[in-house]
């Protein structure tokens, strides 16, 4: 959410940010509505003051035995004017809130301009990609091993679901456990087991509502299935004033994630790259405003460490203005190499949202024991990493000529010492 006062003072900043995202200016419309709202409130206040003054006059006239009918008639008129003015101010506030709620965050100056992913800039890469004409994609490997079953998953749930069995299911679990142990044991994140269903306030707080309602699943109780545990982890500090001495707060969670993939028709229809349900280890940080830039670099390095320990080739991309998420002001995407596709594919997205989400969920901070005016915290989130996509990367990068899969050394303690996954059954 944008700061209305900042828009009043420097409207060109938000318009320039929107232009960099390929969107039309919005400040003139916002300030026009705001002016009408403020005028309506001023008229209400003036009418209330006049009513109060008339009420005193009526009391004095009646005390002296005079006729107060004319004054009482004006009070009745003012009552109607006040009610109408308050209703108008409320309507204008709703219109203003609606406009502000769908405006994306302003990109930081160092974010490159661009219309789409072609404008992203490579920052660094790790390891040399394996390029082989005979490299198979994960679904061919998994089905040939008898460990990945899309037909039975479709029978149960329809398209974009996967059924894993045996050692491949264990490998997925091993990846998740490895990531959690790394982030909690070495990176200082606190593990959380959050609710998987949340209310409107939570998905609004992180910026999923109202703009991305079609990308989520809603239950008959009115709850939303979380599209990522960023939602509950970030919103744990909703409506709180945190002691700045306790920051940063760092949370991690392994959860299933649920997405309707409404806008992905025809994309990645084979395999488990784009699913309605998948597991992800999420990283969330809550920081003081002046600390978020450094925290962003730190979080990205934590996610990169997962792939380094697994010895998976990857590159880190700084996203351009046209490819960034709605709530982000700066994002790094980590793209892992998939030999079967002969391409890099996104496996983690680490974003610094500044105070954008904090304003929506009213999360603030100040020094302990003071009465200083609280400031909005900064929030950051990243995948640490997407478990299903990491499984794909392991399968494709560790495939053997005989069709088996070598287990990365970092995962063998979680696999009971198993070094190779061969055909099942």
């Amino acid at each position: 959410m944008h700061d209305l006062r900042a828009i009043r003072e420097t409207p060109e900043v938000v318009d320039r940010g929107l232009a960099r995202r390929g969107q039309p200016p919005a400040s003139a419309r916002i300030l026009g509505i705001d002016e009408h709202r403020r005028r309506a409130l001023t008229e209400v206040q003036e009418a209330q003051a006049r009513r109060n003054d008339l009420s005193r006059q009526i009391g004095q006239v009646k005390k002296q035995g005079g006729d107060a009918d004319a004054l009482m008639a004006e009070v009745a008129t003012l009552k109607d004017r006040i009610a109408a003015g308050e209703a108008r101010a409320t309507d204008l506030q709703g219109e203003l809130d609606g406009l502000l709620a769908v405006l994306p965050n302003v990109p930081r100056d160092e974010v490159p301009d661009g219309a789409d992913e072609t404008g992203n800039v490579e920052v660094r890469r790790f390891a040399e990609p394996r390029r082989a004409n005979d490299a198979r994609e994960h679904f061919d490997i998994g089905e040939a091993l008898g460990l990945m079953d899309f037909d039975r998953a479709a029978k149960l749930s329809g398209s974009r679901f996967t059924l894993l069995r045996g050692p491949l299911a264990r490998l997925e679990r091993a990846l998740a456990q490895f990531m959690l142990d790394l982030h909690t044991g070495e990176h200082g994140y606190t593990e959380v087991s959050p609710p998987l269903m949340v209310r409107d306030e939570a998905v609004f707080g992180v910026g999923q509502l109202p703009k991305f309602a079609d990308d989520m699943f809603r239950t008959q109780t009115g709850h939303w299935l979380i599209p990522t545990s960023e939602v509950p982890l970030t919103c744990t500090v909703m409506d709180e004033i945190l002691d700045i001495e306790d920051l940063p707060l760092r949370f991690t969670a392994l959860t299933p994630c649920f997405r309707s993939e409404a806008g992905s028709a025809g994309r990645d229809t084979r395999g488990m790259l784009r699913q309605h349900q998948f597991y992800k280890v999420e990283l969330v940080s809550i920081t003081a405003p002046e600390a978020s830039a450094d925290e962003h670099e730190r979080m990205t390095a934590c996610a990169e460490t997962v792939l380094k320990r697994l010895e998976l080739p990857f590159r880190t991309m700084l996203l351009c203005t046209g490819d960034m998420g709605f709530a982000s002001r700066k994002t790094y995407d980590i793209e892992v190499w998939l030999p079967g596709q002969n391409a890099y594919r996104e496996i983690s997205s680490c974003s610094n949202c500044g105070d954008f989400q904090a304003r929506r969920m009213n999360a603030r901070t100040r020094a302990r024991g003071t009465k200083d005016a609280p400031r909005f915290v900064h929030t950051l989130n990243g995948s640490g990493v997407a478990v299903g996509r990491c499984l794909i990367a392991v399968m494709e990068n560790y495939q053997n000529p005989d069709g088996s899969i070598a287990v990365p050394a970092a995962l063998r303690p979680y696999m009971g010492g198993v070094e190779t996954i061969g055909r099942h059954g």
Side-chain angles (χ1 to χ4, degrees):
M1 186 75 79
H2 289 269
D3 181 2
L4 182 57
R5 183 172 61 181
I7 296 176
R8 291 185 193 129
E9 294 173 354
T10 54
E12 69 279 0
V13 172
V14 68
D15 285 342
R16 184 167 60 247
L18 290 173
R20 294 183 66 202
R21 283 181 175 264
Q23 297 197 16
S27 66
R29 185 180 177 192
I30 289 171
L31 295 178
I33 297 171
D34 182 46
E35 177 59 30
H36 287 303
R37 180 190 64 88
R38 296 167 77 185
R39 190 179 305 152
L41 290 173
T42 298
E43 291 173 356
V44 167
Q45 292 168 356
E46 291 173 347
Q48 289 172 334
R50 174 60 178 164
R51 182 186 61 184
N52 293 340
D53 183 54
L54 288 173
S55 296
R56 286 192 294 269
Q57 293 182 40
I58 290 169
Q60 292 172 356
V61 169
K62 287 185 174 181
K63 186 176 182 180
Q64 296 170 2
D67 183 1
D69 288 350
L71 297 175
M72 293 174 67
E74 186 177 352
V75 167
T77 300
L78 286 170
K79 182 179 179 181
D80 292 339
R81 282 177 54 191
I82 291 169
E86 289 175 338
R88 175 163 172 73
T90 298
D91 289 344
L92 289 168
Q93 183 66 60
E95 187 176 355
L96 186 61
D97 290 343
L99 275 176
L100 291 172
V102 296
L103 288 184
N105 204 349
V106 173
R108 285 180 59 90
D109 291 342
E110 66 265 28
V111 173
D113 290 334
D116 52 36
E117 66 274 5
T118 59
N120 298 340
V121 176
E122 183 175 323
V123 176
R124 54 186 167 268
R125 63 172 60 196
F126 171 81
E128 186 64 29
R130 171 187 172 183
R131 301 179 186 274
N133 294 330
D134 59 346
R136 295 184 299 165
E137 294 198 55
H138 68 282
F139 44 81
D140 289 328
I141 300 170
E143 287 182 322
L145 292 174
L147 302 175
M148 186 176 284
D149 195 330
F150 298 102
D151 291 337
R152 285 191 171 91
K155 181 171 64 175
L156 294 169
S157 306
S159 62
R160 296 192 186 276
F161 290 92
T162 306
L163 188 151
L164 303 177
R165 62 165 61 92
L168 201 56
R170 184 173 183 176
L171 183 62
E172 181 184 50
R173 175 162 53 90
L175 280 165
Q177 188 64 55
F178 160 70
M179 294 175 202
L180 285 176
D181 286 350
L182 176 62
H183 295 315
T184 58
E186 297 186 32
H187 296 157
Y189 287 85
T190 298
E191 184 175 357
V192 177
S193 179
L196 303 182
M197 299 191 300
V198 293
R199 305 193 314 181
D200 289 356
E201 294 88 342
V203 279
F204 177 83
V206 298
Q208 294 288 335
L209 283 183
K211 195 173 179 65
F212 303 104
D214 289 344
D215 294 329
M216 296 183 289
F217 291 109
R218 194 169 197 180
T219 71
Q220 293 181 341
T221 63
H223 291 88
W224 299 89
L225 297 180
I226 61 169
T228 163
S229 57
E230 170 203 345
V231 179
L233 293 181
T234 304
C235 288
T236 55
V237 298
M238 182 188 299
D239 293 321
E240 294 186 20
I241 298 178
L242 306 170
D243 292 336
I244 199 166
E245 294 84 357
D246 295 333
L247 300 181
L249 301 177
R250 297 184 178 117
F251 304 125
T252 186
L254 166 67
T255 67
C257 305
F258 306 93
R259 299 184 185 177
S260 69
E261 296 292 346
S264 63
R267 297 174 60 193
D268 301 312
T269 53
R270 286 205 67 188
M272 56 181 293
L273 196 65
R274 195 177 300 274
Q275 300 272 278
H276 289 310
Q277 172 191 313
F278 58 94
Y279 287 98
K280 182 153 69 80
V281 172
E282 186 73 5
L283 306 175
V284 162
S285 296
I286 313 295
T287 76
E290 56 274 8
S292 67
D294 288 342
E295 184 71 13
H296 191 202
E297 301 299 324
R298 181 189 189 278
M299 174 181 285
T300 305
C302 290
E304 290 174 340
T305 300
V306 172
L307 303 183
K308 289 179 178 179
R309 296 285 177 88
L310 295 172
E311 301 181 76
L312 294 172
F314 69 86
R315 65 183 185 182
T316 300
M317 309 291 290
L318 175 59
L319 298 196
C320 70
T321 53
D323 201 30
M324 282 191 345
F326 173 80
S328 175
R329 66 175 187 169
K330 182 178 180 181
T331 296
Y332 292 114
D333 266 11
I334 303 172
E335 299 178 345
V336 70
W337 177 254
L338 300 183
Q341 292 193 15
N342 199 40
Y344 286 101
R345 296 300 300 267
E346 184 248 315
I347 194 171
S348 172
S349 189
C350 297
S351 297
N352 183 353
C353 298
D355 64 3
F356 186 83
Q357 293 176 325
R359 289 182 181 279
R360 299 171 76 99
M361 61 181 184
N362 194 32
R364 296 170 292 168
T365 184
R366 66 181 169 203
R368 183 180 292 118
T370 70
K371 294 185 178 180
D372 296 341
R375 299 180 296 159
F376 287 104
V377 298
H378 280 196
T379 62
L380 304 94
N381 64 82
S383 307
V385 294
V387 179
R389 293 194 173 197
C390 199
L391 177 65
I392 292 171
V394 168
M395 293 175 67
E396 294 194 9
N397 282 279
Y398 282 85
Q399 60 181 295
N400 294 317
D402 64 359
S404 64
I405 304 167
V407 176
L411 298 180
R412 290 173 190 169
Y414 300 92
M415 293 288 292
V418 171
E419 297 185 2
T420 304
I421 296 174
R423 178 166 179 78
H424 181 74

